[in-house]
Amino acid sequence: MVFLTCVLLGFFIAAGGSITPSFLNLTVVKFSLRNGKKPAFYLIGGYATILFFQANIGAYLSNILMKNSEYITLIQKIGTGILFLLSFNFFRLHFTSKAPKEKQDIPKSKAYFHGILMSSLNTIAIPFYFTTISFLIGLDYFEYSLLNSFYFSVGSTLGSFTLYSLYAIVAEKIEHKLQYVATKMDFILGCLTGVVAIGNLIYLLNK
């Protein structure tokens, strides 16, 4: 029963977090449109690999860092800096791209490791899992242990993979409606990461 509860909690929390616009799911859409659905699944596989460990780390931090809030602030500061760098990079890609690229095949390993890199840069994931798991612990829905953390991480990995896969499939099926959006995807990603970074900065300055 504990196994099923932890897996389902992880699945629905990760799925809910993956629905909202972020540079990860929008990158899936862009990747699917430019390179095809199959490479997008390898990209998502890279995401899932890192998300499994991020969920574990988030669960561990929820058990340890509740009494050490200064470390949480440090993580937020580092994450904010990375978000600003990502925003700058997406804007650079948008303004230096001259024309939409045709679909091209890329190696599976390249798509997979690109997913690992992008997910590793997603510093929002660990605070997200830390916050949600801390909330669950406060409500007595989750009790931290290495095994429960593992079950939760399995569920969160499955939830994220499912939602990101839906993004890849939908992008492929309505490609003709998304072509214009695809040409502006880097700009959209730059705006999203920029807004989140500015929001984090304002929050840190007002603490």
Side-chain angles (χ1 to χ4, degrees):
M1 184 63 181
V2 174
F3 164 77
L4 185 60
T5 300
C6 292
V7 170
L8 288 177
L9 283 172
F11 183 93
F12 287 112
I13 286 173
S18 301
I19 290 174
T20 56
S22 70
F23 76 89
L24 287 185
N25 49 33
L26 289 178
T27 299
V28 170
V29 173
K30 182 177 73 172
F31 211 81
S32 182
L33 289 174
R34 291 184 179 176
N35 303 289
K37 185 167 60 178
K38 190 173 181 180
F41 285 136
Y42 284 95
L43 174 81
I44 296 166
Y47 283 2
T49 301
I50 297 300
L51 286 168
F52 174 83
F53 293 104
Q54 288 174 329
N56 266 294
I57 294 170
Y60 176 74
L61 292 179
S62 69
N63 188 51
I64 300 298
L65 295 185
M66 295 290 286
K67 300 175 183 178
N68 300 280
S69 59
E70 67 273 13
Y71 293 114
I72 301 173
T73 302
L74 176 61
I75 292 171
Q76 289 174 323
K77 289 178 179 178
I78 294 172
T80 300
I82 293 175
L83 283 170
F84 274 117
L85 291 175
L86 281 172
S87 180
F88 173 80
N89 183 60
F90 284 127
F91 282 127
R92 180 188 63 81
L93 290 172
H94 172 72
F95 289 110
T96 55
S97 297
K98 301 301 181 182
K101 296 180 180 179
E102 296 293 331
K103 272 192 179 181
Q104 54 182 344
D105 293 328
I106 65 171
K108 299 173 183 177
S109 59
K110 185 177 179 180
Y112 178 76
F113 285 113
H114 184 71
I116 286 179
L117 175 63
M118 294 297 292
S119 191
S120 298
L121 293 173
N122 180 32
T123 56
I124 300 174
I126 293 176
F128 170 75
Y129 285 118
F130 167 79
T131 303
T132 53
I133 293 173
S134 297
F135 183 70
L136 292 174
I137 291 174
L139 294 175
D140 292 327
Y141 287 137
F142 185 85
E143 182 179 354
Y144 178 81
S145 70
L146 289 176
L147 198 56
N148 286 350
S149 177
F150 175 78
Y151 295 152
F152 181 90
S153 299
V154 169
S156 65
T157 302
L158 292 172
S160 298
F161 191 92
T162 301
L163 261 293
Y164 289 137
S165 295
L166 288 176
Y167 272 99
I169 294 169
V170 168
E172 184 105 316
K173 290 186 178 299
I174 58 173
E175 179 177 355
H176 62 288
K177 296 181 181 179
L178 292 176
Q179 283 299 328
Y180 175 76
V181 176
T183 63
K184 306 296 181 183
M185 196 64 72
D186 288 319
F187 182 79
I188 295 170
L189 291 169
C191 289
L192 282 172
T193 50
V195 167
V196 174
I198 292 170
N200 284 349
L201 181 62
I202 294 171
Y203 171 77
L204 290 170
L205 292 175
N206 289 325
K207 285 189 69 174

